[in-house]
Amino acid sequence: MSLRVKNRRLHLALPAALLAAGLLAACGGGGSSSGSYTLGGTISGLDTEGLVLVNGSDTLAVASGASSFSFDQSVSGSYKVSVSAQPSGQTCQVSNGSGSASGDVSSVVVSCRNYREYVANTASNTLSQFAVGSTGTLSALSTATVGVSYAPSALVVNGNGSRAWLNYRDDEALTVLDIDSSGALSVASASAQAATFGYALGLSPDESTLYAVNYGGASVSQFSLASSGKPTALSTATVSAGLAPYAMAITPDGAFAYVANASADTISMYSVSSNGALKALSTPTVSVAGHGSKPQGLAVAPGGGYLFVTLADSAKVLSYTINSSTGTLTYNSSQSTGTTPRAIALTSTGTRAYVANAGSATVSQFLVSGGTLTPMSTRTVATGATPSGITITPDDAYLYVSNAGDGTVSEFSLSASGTLGALATISTGGQSPVGIVAR
């Protein structure tokens, strides 16, 4: 047994009797007499590299296959362990991660699992839940679907895969969903109401604020989020948008937000305050009318700087430059897509983009450099009927498309060059799947 280095000089100066008492106290399993304690716990299911845990300024990289962990720095008083970086192909959750140390802490639990995919089946009032296999193919969880009260529309999931939020196409309700360590959904007791039904949700990058896009109310409802996930309306409960707002995107730094107004042919532009509240820019909208009509899909480049907009009535995707200081948009370029481009997704590197074309049952695939989209040599790949939602796994390995016309999900692998490779098509077990997310 050894004394902590920081205590050695003090102990050397003590009389022998006091030093012996100090040694006995140190052997008692309660850390040092200065009140600093070890912090660690157990890990299950970690099969890949890349997991990084954090407590304050102390970070810890955890190796694949680890069953336990301990931070290098000791703790005194409060601690809060969270995931700083997720492992490749997996999602890890922390439980018993916070408290106040009065002795060595070994009760923190980290549970890791492979990705899950969740689908909102609008016409059957259900959510489908799938496991993502090692080759990208999907398999239904033991509870294949979860029933909800209304026609589900959009889903957003937090970064550690422990919670989701859901809105509806026929009701103002917002539902909080808990996600257990196996990835299974359950409806939580916490809930809230938006101003009207909607087609989109937005979650701030720091996960402190939830936004509900009110398709029927030409507005955006805004909520702070409690630790339970319960949304509470901000003091300014709604801000104005354009007619029939359909999609929302937020910059990675959380400074600006954008809403696509499908029937107004505009993009609303907002700054985001420190409490998450949206404020319309001095020029509140930019028009897409000079390039086409019906903006329905939005995506911000992961590195910031550019916004991509699909025009459902014009078979185009537009690129806009984002002013980093003001948030204003400046038109950059456009590319043609398939018919009725409804949703767009970018890889985490921002170098690939994919557009779900509802009218032509295809996905358009693009290389991305800055704000410029370049069609890949194979411009489109086939999907099921009426592809309406699109998602990419966080490790950029697989892409999934929800097909509202035939109740299926199309599964694709992503090659190193970004080209999609068809894997399989699976039934969702519901009708008219729209919203889709992988985590």
Side-chain angles (χ1 to χ4, degrees):
M1 177 188 63
S2 64
L3 293 174
R4 299 182 185 277
V5 172
K6 67 180 181 181
N7 292 330
R8 283 180 177 165
R9 291 185 179 178
L10 175 62
H11 285 168
L12 291 174
L14 291 173
L18 291 179
L19 178 57
L23 288 171
L24 289 173
C27 291
S32 75
S33 58
S34 66
S36 293
Y37 308 103
T38 60
L39 174 62
T42 59
I43 299 177
S44 62
L46 181 60
D47 296 331
T48 61
E49 301 288 346
L51 173 63
V52 179
L53 301 176
V54 61
N55 175 57
S57 61
D58 192 10
T59 60
L60 176 67
V62 184
S64 173
S67 59
S68 64
F69 70 94
S70 181
F71 282 94
D72 293 332
Q73 296 181 15
S74 57
V75 296
S76 177
S78 63
Y79 61 90
K80 185 175 182 181
V81 178
S82 60
V83 176
S84 174
Q86 295 284 359
S88 177
Q90 291 194 297
T91 296
C92 298
Q93 298 178 20
V94 176
S95 55
N96 299 328
S98 60
S100 182
S102 58
D104 290 345
V105 177
S106 60
S107 57
V108 181
V109 177
V110 180
S111 303
C112 302
R113 58 169 171 79
N114 291 341
Y115 293 143
R116 301 293 184 253
E117 187 205 310
Y118 308 106
V119 185
N121 301 304
T122 299
S124 55
N125 292 12
T126 59
L127 304 174
S128 300
Q129 44 188 8
F130 299 95
V132 178
S134 59
T135 61
T137 56
L138 302 177
S139 59
L141 298 189
S142 56
T143 300
T145 60
V146 175
V148 292
S149 300
Y150 309 104
S153 183
L155 278 162
V156 291
V157 178
N158 64 356
N160 71 1
S162 64
R163 184 163 292 125
W165 294 265
L166 173 68
N167 71 345
Y168 301 92
R169 293 195 173 190
D170 60 348
D171 196 84
E172 297 85 1
L174 295 174
T175 296
V176 182
L177 298 156
D178 290 330
I179 306 175
D180 68 19
S181 58
S182 72
L185 298 169
S186 62
V187 176
S189 57
S191 62
Q193 280 197 318
T196 72
F197 64 94
Y199 289 176
L201 293 172
L203 182 63
S204 64
D206 65 2
E207 300 180 357
S208 67
T209 313
L210 180 73
Y211 305 97
V213 177
N214 300 308
Y215 185 87
S219 64
V220 179
S221 294
Q222 43 191 9
F223 305 86
S224 63
L225 293 174
S227 58
S228 65
K230 179 178 175 59
T232 299
L234 296 183
S235 56
T236 301
T238 62
V239 293
S240 295
L243 190 60
Y246 201 94
M248 184 175 192
I250 304 169
T251 56
D253 61 3
F256 304 104
Y258 305 93
V259 171
N261 305 305
S263 294
D265 292 336
T266 60
I267 307 298
S268 293
M269 303 180 288
Y270 307 93
S271 61
V272 184
S273 68
S274 59
N275 73 341
L278 302 178
K279 181 181 179 181
L281 300 188
S282 55
T283 300
T285 62
V286 62
S287 175
V288 303
H291 311 286
S293 60
K294 199 171 242 187
Q296 285 194 338
L298 292 180
V300 173
Y306 301 97
L307 177 73
F308 301 95
V309 184
T310 65
L311 301 184
D313 278 358
S314 304
K316 288 181 180 179
V317 57
L318 308 182
S319 166
Y320 286 87
T321 300
I322 301 172
N323 185 297
S324 61
S325 299
T326 66
T328 55
L329 299 175
T330 302
Y331 173 75
N332 183 32
S333 61
S334 71
Q335 276 289 349
S336 61
T337 64
T339 307
T340 321
R342 187 157 286 166
I344 181 171
L346 278 71
T347 57
S348 64
T349 61
T351 58
R352 310 286 188 267
Y354 305 90
V355 176
N357 303 306
S360 56
T362 61
V363 171
S364 297
Q365 42 188 7
F366 299 95
L367 303 175
V368 184
S369 178
T372 301
L373 298 172
T374 301
M376 295 185 192
S377 56
T378 301
R379 293 183 66 104
T380 62
V381 294
T383 65
T386 321
S388 298
I390 191 167
T391 188
I392 301 172
T393 56
D395 61 359
D396 294 337
Y398 305 105
L399 178 145
Y400 303 96
V401 177
S402 57
N403 302 309
D406 58 14
T408 65
V409 172
S410 297
E411 308 165 7
F412 300 93
S413 62
L414 273 70
S415 71
S417 66
T419 301
L420 296 178
L423 296 176
T425 298
I426 189 171
S427 171
T428 67
Q431 299 174 359
S432 298
V434 286
I436 185 170
V437 61
R439 165 50 74 186

